[in-house]
């Protein structure tokens, strides 16, 4: 098999180096085309891309979002620091903000809600029964009398805490956005809408209302995307810093400007190809995957360092540049290709998560790593064949090599029985401790506010302000109740829903519950002189119809046929444990009810909490299959490359330990397992395996030459040790710049990937040899002398 691989590699080598100039020209031509394509790539954002569309909650959400609105809501809160909102200046601005929202691109105008919209009404008890109308009447004038009348109507409407702040210090204008802009028929540009909200609403009206101290707070998916896109602009700065830091490390390792620029250039070409191919395939750049080009660049440089190391080693053996390049190509094509294919498959496994934004990240990363096979394993050695190294440079590197060889010879002592056992024991202790901590990891968000942004971000401050001043909060779980036609005048149906409302009000984490039965009881009391004893559900259909008559479909609490009635459950926050407990309570009630009462079915779920709950369940279901598939891919490719279960075992065990420790770190730092962090472990394993493959490849070569284990280990360290260490440091430091990002999900990924890249390098350099020492101590080529 080894001979057949050797023959295949030789044939590929002859093809690659036969027409070097033509090959370089071809690469330049393709790169120019990909650069043009990459230049045309645009940011592509969609609300539905973040949804697990096959999940039952999302199926319910999509089925009824046209009737009751979806989770893609914009909430604009206008607040004053002193006094209340009932002033002429405030109402002038509120009217203008309402009009501006009504003409917002992509808005569903029927769903716009404000004190000035006709779907905000009040009902009051009068001598003859009920009277009602718009909270802000058609003949409204902002006089003292007019404002007093509106204040009374607000109280009568029951909107205090929902649309108006509890202390009357603010009010809300809300709207639903559609995926397609009805004015243009094109996909809605969320970033453009977010900019519109900032410029035409927040900035404009805060300036107009500065005399009354007006502040405007905006939340919603669109605003999140706008803030993420704004924070993502700093990625350019991070890329420049990463490029400079990486270049410095490569120069320190290579001691040559030419040997520094070539791997950097090939890594950049891989990034250009990746972005260009994405555009060719019809994909845009999502803010959630904006970091993938960083990763591709870092991986490209790391493999480029290995190629530089091998090329320089061949030069020291007296070969000329062409022969050294060809020899490097032969030596690294299989181990480098195996490592990169493993990386690619690791990223492909992320496709198992049925959420489009994650699948696009997986495709983007897979494309990028696949291009490195061509740019680093093919183009780089061809370019190196044109490089001439001066004798004084070789002399300088040889002197440094003598000094580092002393270090590697000493490090090879880890092959001694006592030292290797100590390393294995430490690894076992770390595994047990890490596993105990990792088992406590939570699915979902562990902090208040939007997890993609830092707690100090403007968005999360706005969200906190709205939650503090309004009873309903911003985290909504909408339970869709399906029943028979005219179910709203069926006492048994309404009584069942009423019991559900009471059940949910007593669940920890629930802030308030709004449903048709609760409002019907209040209205029924109104029909009976407001007597509290009549705050019940009437049993007779005609009386029940009278109780719900003032409630129309614009409230979102029933549809026209009265066979679907949402119950709105507002949560105190969207932390993982809150969502989990509330959804569990809904499920428990639904399981018991759906079997006992066939006329009523409780379905999860709409609202932003429904989307989060579905996402959390998908992430929870996918976490273990992803790890299993990633490690299975690593094991299979290692078996194919090395033809040895021992080799696969030595390479995989350090990766498994680091993965467990990564989960433990997430739990320690209060980083939940969610859409942005789930792919991290797969990415870390896919990239981390490179260290072990390169090191073991050299070990196997030394075994084949008949060397004893510690001699083989010392030789492998001398040949690849510096490159592996510099690769690990390059990757770790390259992604560590993300830690300082304005975006929390980028910072979280930066922390976790830095941790995994660095520890995977240590695992390959320390734990892998310690395990190999015992598996290979009776190797047929020689026993360990210890």
């Amino acid at each position: 098999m080894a001979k057949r691989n050797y023959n295949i590699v030789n044939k590929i080598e002859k093809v690659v180096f036969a027409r070097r100039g033509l090959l370089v020209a071809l690469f330049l031509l393709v790169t120019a085309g990909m650069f043009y394509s990459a230049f045309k790539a645009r940011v592509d954002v969609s609300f539905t891309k973040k949804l697990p569309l096959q999940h039952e909650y999302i199926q319910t959400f999509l089925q009824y979002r046209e009737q009751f609105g979806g989770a893609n809501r914009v909430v604009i809160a206008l607040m004053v620091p002193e006094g209340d909102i009932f002033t002429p200046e405030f109402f002038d601005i509120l009217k203008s903000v309402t009009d501006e929202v009504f003409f917002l691109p992509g808005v569903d105008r029927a769903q716009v809600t404000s004190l000035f919209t006709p779907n905000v009404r009040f009902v009051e008890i009068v001598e003859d029964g009920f009277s009602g109308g718009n909270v802000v009447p058609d003949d409204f004038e902002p006089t003292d009398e007019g404002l007093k009348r509106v204040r009374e109507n607000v109280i009568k409407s029951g909107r205090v805490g929902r649309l108006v702040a509890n202390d009357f210090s603010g009010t809300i204008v809300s709207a639903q956005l559609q995926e397609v802009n009805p004015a243009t028929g094109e996909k809605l540009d969320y970033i453009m809408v977010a900019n519109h909200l900032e410029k035409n609403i927040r900035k404009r009206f805060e300036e107009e209302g500065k005399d009354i101290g007006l502040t405007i707070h905006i939340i919603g998916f669109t605003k999140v995307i706008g803030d993420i896109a704004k924070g993502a602009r700093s990625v350019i700065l991070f890329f420049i810093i990463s490029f400079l830091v990486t270049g410095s490390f490569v120069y320190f390792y290579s001691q040559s400007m030419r040997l520094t620029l070539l791997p950097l250039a090939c890594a950049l070409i891989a990034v250009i190809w990746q972005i260009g191919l994405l555009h060719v395939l019809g994909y845009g750049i999502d803010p959630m995957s904006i970091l993938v080009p960083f990763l591709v660049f870092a991986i490209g440089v790391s493999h480029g360092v290995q190629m530089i190391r091998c090329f320089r080693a061949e030069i020291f053996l007296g070969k000329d540049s062409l022969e050294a390049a060809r020899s490097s190509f032969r030596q690294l094509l299989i181990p480098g290709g195996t490592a990169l294919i493993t990386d690619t498959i690791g990223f492909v496994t992320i496709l198992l998560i049925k959420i489009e934004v994650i699948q696009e990240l997986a495709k983007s990363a897979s494309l990028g790593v696949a291009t490195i096979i061509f740019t680093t394993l093919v183009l780089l050695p061809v370019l190196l064949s044109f490089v001439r190294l001066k004798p004084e440079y070789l002399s300088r590197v040889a002197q440094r090599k003598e000094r580092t060889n002393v270090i590697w010879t000493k490090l090879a002592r880890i092959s001694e029985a006592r030292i290797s056992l100590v390393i294995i024991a430490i690894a076992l202790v770390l595994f047990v401790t890490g596993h105990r901590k990792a088992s406590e990891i939570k699915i979902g968000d562990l902090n208040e506010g939007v997890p993609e942004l830092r707690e100090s971000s403007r968005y999360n401050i706005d969200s906190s302000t709205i939650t503090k001043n309004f009873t309903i909060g911003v985290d909504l779980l909408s339970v869709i109740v399906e029943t028979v036609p005219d179910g709203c005048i069926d006492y048994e149906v309404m009584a069942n829903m009423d019991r559900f409302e009471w059940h949910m009000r007593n669940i920890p984490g629930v802030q308030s519950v709004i449903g048709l039965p609760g409002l019907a009881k209040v209205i029924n009391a109104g029909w009976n002189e407001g007597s509290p004893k009549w705050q019940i559900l009437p049993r007779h259909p005609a009386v029940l119809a009278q109780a719900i008559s003032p409630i129309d479909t614009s409230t979102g609490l029933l549809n026209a046929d009265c066979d679907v009635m949402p119950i709105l459950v507002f949560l105190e926050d969207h932390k993982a444990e809150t969502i989990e407990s509330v959804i569990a309570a809904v499920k428990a009630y639904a399981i018991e009810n759906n079997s006992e009462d066939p006329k009523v079915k409780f379905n999860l779920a709409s609202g932003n909490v429904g989307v989060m709950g579905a996402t959390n369940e998908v992430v929870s279901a996918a976490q273990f299959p992803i790890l299993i598939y990633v490690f299975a891919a690593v094991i299979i490719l290692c078996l194919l490359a090395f033809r040895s279960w021992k080799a696969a075992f030595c390479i995989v065990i350090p990766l498994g330990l680091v993965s467990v420790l990564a989960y433990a770190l997430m739990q320690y730092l209060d980083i939940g397992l969610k859409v942005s962090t789930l792919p991290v472990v797969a990415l870390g394993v896919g990239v981390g395996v490179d260290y072990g493959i390169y090191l073991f490849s050299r070990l196997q070569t030394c075994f084949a030459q008949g060397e004893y284990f510690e001699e083989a280990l010392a030789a492998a360290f001398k040949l690849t040790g510096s490159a592996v260490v510099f690769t690990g440091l390059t990757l770790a430091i390259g992604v560590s710049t993300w830690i300082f990002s304005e975006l929390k999900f980028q910072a979280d990924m930066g922390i976790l990937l830095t941790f995994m890249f660095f520890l995977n390098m240590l695992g390959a350099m320390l734990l892998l040899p310690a395990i190999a020492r015992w598996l290979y101590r009776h190797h047929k080529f020689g026993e360990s002398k210890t």
Side-chain angles (χ1 to χ4, degrees):
M1 179 60 68
K3 185 175 180 181
R4 189 172 73 180
N5 287 343
Y6 179 78
N7 291 334
I8 293 173
V9 170
N10 277 348
K11 290 179 181 178
I12 297 174
E13 176 214 332
K14 290 178 181 178
V15 172
V16 168
F17 286 88
R19 297 285 188 275
R20 291 181 295 162
L22 181 62
L23 185 68
V24 172
L26 179 62
F27 268 90
L28 289 175
L29 184 62
V30 173
T31 301
M34 289 296 104
F35 182 82
Y36 175 75
S37 177
F39 188 76
K40 294 170 64 178
R42 294 291 180 266
V43 174
D44 179 25
V45 184
S46 170
F47 178 71
T48 56
K49 282 168 58 174
K50 294 190 67 177
L51 304 180
L53 296 176
Q54 298 178 9
H55 195 279
E56 58 178 317
Y57 301 175
I58 305 303
Q59 292 292 313
T60 302
F61 163 79
L62 295 174
Q63 181 179 354
Y64 292 109
R65 69 173 175 177
E66 294 296 328
Q67 296 183 56
F68 303 112
N72 190 3
R73 191 167 61 136
V74 174
V75 176
I76 303 169
L78 290 76
M79 308 292 298
V80 291
E82 297 178 358
D84 57 38
I85 63 174
F86 299 105
T87 64
E89 296 83 1
F90 186 91
F91 268 73
D92 284 345
I93 294 176
L94 177 60
K95 179 66 168 63
S96 298
V97 170
T98 303
D99 292 342
E100 193 68 41
V101 171
F102 193 75
F103 292 101
L104 198 66
V107 75
D108 182 353
R109 294 177 179 176
Q111 297 284 344
V112 175
T113 303
S114 161
L115 290 178
F116 278 95
T117 54
N119 56 4
V120 177
R121 300 175 59 82
F122 73 96
V123 176
E124 64 177 329
I125 304 167
V126 295
E127 185 177 351
D128 297 328
F130 281 93
S131 176
N134 294 346
V135 168
V136 178
D138 294 336
D139 59 351
F140 169 73
E141 293 292 337
T143 61
D144 289 344
E145 183 179 347
L147 292 169
K148 181 181 178 181
R149 183 182 174 191
V150 170
R151 183 188 186 108
E152 292 172 352
N153 292 346
V154 167
I155 296 172
K156 296 171 188 174
S157 72
R159 295 276 185 164
V160 177
R162 296 165 56 196
L163 194 64
V164 177
N166 295 312
D167 60 356
F168 297 103
S169 63
T171 186
I172 281 175
V173 179
S174 68
Q176 295 283 344
L177 293 180
Q178 305 174 75
E179 278 289 292
V180 176
N181 187 342
T184 63
E186 298 178 353
K187 194 174 181 180
L188 185 62
D189 185 342
Y190 285 98
I191 296 176
M192 181 269 289
V193 176
N195 292 334
H196 186 97
L197 289 170
E198 277 295 327
K199 182 179 179 181
N200 292 10
I201 293 182
R202 194 200 302 266
K203 186 177 179 181
R204 172 188 165 188
F205 291 110
E206 281 189 343
E207 178 65 25
E208 289 185 14
K210 63 182 179 180
D211 291 339
I212 58 173
L214 179 72
T215 58
I216 294 180
H217 309 272
I218 308 173
I219 61 173
F221 173 77
T222 300
K223 196 67 183 67
V224 172
I225 292 300
D227 288 359
I228 289 176
K230 182 180 177 182
R233 293 170 191 162
S234 61
V235 167
I236 299 174
L237 175 62
F238 290 140
F239 192 88
I240 293 172
I241 294 172
S242 179
F243 183 88
L244 294 175
V245 171
T246 302
S248 300
F249 267 82
V250 176
Y251 180 77
F252 181 77
Y253 173 75
S254 68
Q255 296 290 298
S256 166
M257 187 57 69
R258 282 177 293 178
L259 295 185
T260 298
L261 293 177
L262 287 179
L264 292 178
C266 290
L268 278 177
I269 290 173
V271 172
I272 293 170
W273 283 24
Q274 175 220 359
I275 299 174
L277 285 170
L278 282 176
H279 179 70
V280 169
L281 295 174
Y283 295 100
I285 301 173
D286 191 279
M288 295 294 290
S289 58
I290 198 72
L291 295 177
V292 172
F294 270 85
L295 207 54
V296 171
F297 175 74
I299 296 170
V301 171
S302 71
H303 285 273
V305 168
Q306 292 290 345
M307 188 65 71
I308 294 298
R309 182 269 309 167
C310 192
F311 172 76
R312 201 167 58 183
E314 294 299 312
I315 293 291
F316 277 116
L317 294 176
K319 296 179 181 178
D320 61 25
S321 295
L322 179 58
E323 278 303 311
R326 297 179 76 128
S327 179
S328 300
F329 177 85
R330 289 195 300 270
Q331 291 181 47
L332 295 184
L333 183 62
I334 290 181
T338 301
L340 288 169
I341 291 172
T342 305
D343 296 348
T344 303
I345 292 177
F347 298 148
V348 169
T349 59
I350 302 175
L351 289 170
L352 292 171
I353 308 172
K354 302 302 181 181
I355 300 176
E356 189 177 352
V357 68
I358 296 184
Q359 292 181 328
E360 286 191 10
L361 183 148
K363 294 172 184 176
S364 176
S366 301
L367 274 176
V369 175
T371 60
I372 295 173
I373 296 175
F374 299 96
T375 61
T376 300
L377 296 185
V378 177
L379 177 61
L380 181 56
V382 170
L383 294 176
L384 288 173
S385 68
F386 295 102
V387 174
R388 300 291 180 267
L389 299 178
K390 296 180 180 179
E392 53 268 26
Y393 165 77
L394 297 175
S395 175
R396 186 170 71 253
V397 172
Q399 292 175 9
R400 192 180 71 170
K401 188 176 180 182
E402 290 178 5
R403 294 192 297 270
T404 57
N405 282 349
V406 174
I407 299 173
W408 298 126
T409 301
K410 291 181 179 179
L411 186 61
R413 289 188 58 197
I414 61 176
S415 62
E416 295 178 7
R418 184 179 302 174
I419 298 176
S420 62
L421 286 175
V422 168
I423 293 174
I424 293 173
I426 292 173
L428 285 172
V429 170
L430 288 174
F431 177 81
V432 172
T433 306
H435 184 270
R436 186 180 298 118
K437 192 73 174 175
S439 63
E440 300 172 3
I441 194 168
K442 297 290 193 302
I443 308 295
D445 302 330
L446 304 185
N447 300 298
E448 296 180 4
V450 174
E452 290 86 356
L453 304 172
R454 294 189 182 273
E455 292 182 20
S456 59
S457 68
R458 178 65 186 267
Y459 184 96
N460 283 334
I461 292 173
D462 286 350
S463 178
S464 176
T465 300
I466 294 173
T467 303
K468 187 190 307 178
N469 289 281
F470 295 84
T471 303
I472 61 171
V474 296
D475 296 311
L476 169 65
L477 176 69
S478 180
V479 180
I480 305 296
V481 181
E482 295 178 338
T483 183
V484 295
D486 295 325
C488 56
I489 57 174
D490 185 318
Y491 173 76
E492 292 182 359
V493 171
M494 293 288 280
N496 195 342
M497 293 174 59
D498 187 45
R499 288 193 297 272
F500 176 75
E501 285 188 38
W502 179 87
H503 171 71
M504 294 309 299
R505 284 192 183 96
N506 290 278
I507 300 300
V510 173
Q511 189 178 56
S512 61
V513 180
I514 299 174
L516 188 62
L519 295 181
K521 289 194 293 184
V522 174
I523 295 170
N524 186 60
W527 281 110
N528 293 275
E529 300 179 344
S531 174
K533 72 177 183 180
W534 288 102
Q535 197 166 332
I536 58 173
L537 288 172
R539 291 178 177 271
H540 196 282
V543 182
L544 190 52
Q546 177 182 256
I548 68 166
S549 59
I551 306 170
D552 58 33
T553 56
S554 65
T555 61
L557 297 177
L558 72 165
N559 67 351
D561 295 328
C562 231
D563 59 354
V564 180
M565 293 168 280
I567 294 178
L568 310 180
V569 182
F570 293 92
L571 277 59
E572 294 175 354
D573 55 60
H574 57 252
K575 293 181 181 178
E577 58 267 25
T578 305
I579 294 177
E580 185 178 355
S581 65
V582 172
I583 285 182
V586 175
K587 285 183 175 179
Y589 188 93
I591 290 172
E592 180 181 352
N593 172 83
N594 291 348
S595 59
E596 294 181 357
D597 188 351
K599 290 198 296 184
V600 182
K601 183 179 179 182
F602 294 87
N603 295 316
L604 286 163
S606 186
N608 63 316
V609 173
V611 172
M612 292 178 187
T615 303
N616 290 350
E617 291 186 10
V618 168
V619 168
S620 179
Q623 60 170 322
F624 294 114
I626 281 180
L627 288 177
I628 290 171
Y629 289 130
V630 168
F631 278 97
V634 171
I635 291 169
I636 291 171
L637 287 170
C638 287
L639 288 173
L640 292 174
F642 297 107
R643 301 290 169 178
S644 166
W645 70 266
K646 295 179 180 180
F649 186 83
C650 291
I651 291 171
V652 166
I653 291 301
L655 295 175
L657 172 61
V658 174
S659 297
V660 170
L661 293 178
Y663 277 109
L665 180 67
M666 290 172 66
Q667 172 62 17
Y668 178 76
L669 296 177
D670 282 339
I671 299 174
L673 197 61
K674 49 200 174 188
V675 169
S676 59
T677 55
L678 180 59
V680 169
V681 174
L683 294 174
V685 171
V687 177
V689 71
D690 297 356
Y691 311 125
I693 288 176
Y694 277 117
L695 183 64
F696 208 92
S697 175
R698 295 309 307 172
L699 261 178
Q700 192 177 57
T701 300
C702 294
F703 285 153
Q705 294 172 356
E707 296 183 7
Y708 292 101
F709 182 81
E710 67 271 332
E711 293 171 347
L713 181 60
F717 276 164
K718 291 174 183 178
L719 288 170
T720 64
S722 295
V724 167
V725 170
F726 274 96
T727 295
L729 292 175
T730 298
L731 282 169
I733 292 176
V735 298
S736 68
T737 58
W738 305 354
I739 297 173
F740 305 101
S741 172
E742 297 176 33
L743 306 178
K744 191 174 186 300
F745 80 92
Q746 285 187 355
D748 289 345
M749 290 183 73
I751 292 170
L752 295 173
L753 288 176
T754 299
F755 177 83
M756 292 192 72
F757 289 162
F758 184 73
L759 282 197
N760 277 326
M761 181 266 290
L762 290 182
M765 296 297 292
L766 299 176
L767 184 56
L768 186 155
I771 296 172
R773 187 263 181 224
W774 294 98
L775 292 180
Y776 287 89
R777 69 181 187 277
H778 297 305
H779 193 275
K780 66 179 182 178
F781 293 114
E783 295 184 351
S784 172
K785 295 177 182 178
T786 54

